[in-house]
Amino acid sequence: MFAQDIMLYWLENDLLSFAVSVLVAGILIPKIILIAFRRKLFDEIDERKIHRGIVPRLGGIAFFPAFLFSLALVIAINLRFTSSMMEDALSLTLVPIYFEICAIILLYLVGIADDLIGVRYMAKFVVQVICAVLLASSGMYIDNLYGMLWLHELPTWLAWIFSILVAVYVVNAINLIDGIDGLASGLSTIALVFYAVVFFNGCEFIYSMLAAACAGTLFPFFYYNVFGDAKKQKKIFMGDTGALTTGMVLVFCAIAVMCAKPDFLTVDYNPAMVALSPLIVPCFDVFRVYFHRVRKGRNPFLPDKCHIHHKLLALGMNQASALLTILAVSVAFIGANVLLSPYANPNLIFIGDIVVWTLANIALTRAIRRREKALNVTLYD
């Protein structure tokens, strides 16, 4: 087959994986909403919550079944009816994908338990570490930082420890950023589509299908989460089930970029920049929130209202404006970092990201204080 025919073959598989996920999730989510309302399985309302009215938080239950069904179906169709290219590609990626599926299953079960009856944070943390160890056991660990933090190749023991810490951190960052309608799913969709394109261009076609399939599960959820009407019983949240499983897929994609073969990136992009840029907004926000809580003398693990979306809402934005602003910032970080990576030192880019994020947050805080003074109320603490 000609190179153009090969690329078209894999593009069709990516699009089919995405479409099947959209279809399956689109069928499952309304059924989950119906069951949740009949069984009165709703998100509890407290002073931290932005939403008003009863809304189920079980949307993430649809993610893993839709994702796995889509991936398995497309692979099976290819193995049964088409060329041997799928078999050849699978032979190189099957072990990491099996370990990834095992990790997602564990997080999926813990997420369901947490959404239904609640699970202690330490128990969730232990499971997250186990899942990170499973991923590293497959050979998917960060053994080269490509100059990031002035480091290149890492010894195996340090690569394992670093990869486990990164995996747990990213999974929690995705979970904690889920504070307004569409934010976690929107940021994750942007990242997954970006990873799918990167994998496709780098001829890592199975990983591209995986990212596309996961992105497909988020599209119908985004519709019901953002545009659904709670009064008409058409709205749903992803809950821990969706955030944890989606976060694990994002971890897999990021590490897969950094573990890819040397000629994976056809242009001289820095793999660390390509891998980590889609995760900047949730990861930077979680670090800032933890630092803010410690500085205020609070428990860094207890929830409050000091995330970036809370700042934008305190500034007077509505949820839709805050969502679009944060998504645009994420796209800007991805575009700037990736485009600059062939020409600039990765540490300079990373420091620039930190400076931009810090200055933007300082400017937001000052604007909020001015608004509080004008209105004589406390909007953000």
Side-chain angles (χ1 to χ4, degrees), residues 250-295:
L250 290 171
V251 167
F252 181 89
C253 291
I255 294 179
V257 170
M258 299 185 72
C259 292
K261 55 186 180 294
D263 59 345
F264 169 65
L265 297 172
T266 54
V267 181
D268 194 22
Y269 296 119
N270 185 289
M273 281 286 103
V274 173
L276 301 178
S277 292
L279 307 174
I280 280 180
V281 169
C283 289
F284 276 19
D285 186 58
V286 167
F287 183 84
R288 183 194 60 80
V289 166
Y290 278 22
F291 178 78
H292 178 81
R293 291 170 182 169
V294 171
R295 188 167 60 88

Side-chain angles (χ1 to χ4, degrees), residues 18-19 21-23 25-26 29 63 185-186 188-190 192-193 211-227:
F18 176 83
S21 284
V22 171
L23 177 63
I29 289 174
F63 291 5
S185 57
S188 298
T189 300
I190 290 171
L192 288 164
V193 171
C214 189
T217 66
L218 296 174
F219 264 68
F221 168 79
F222 186 88
Y223 170 79
Y224 283 100
N225 181 230
V226 175
F227 302 105

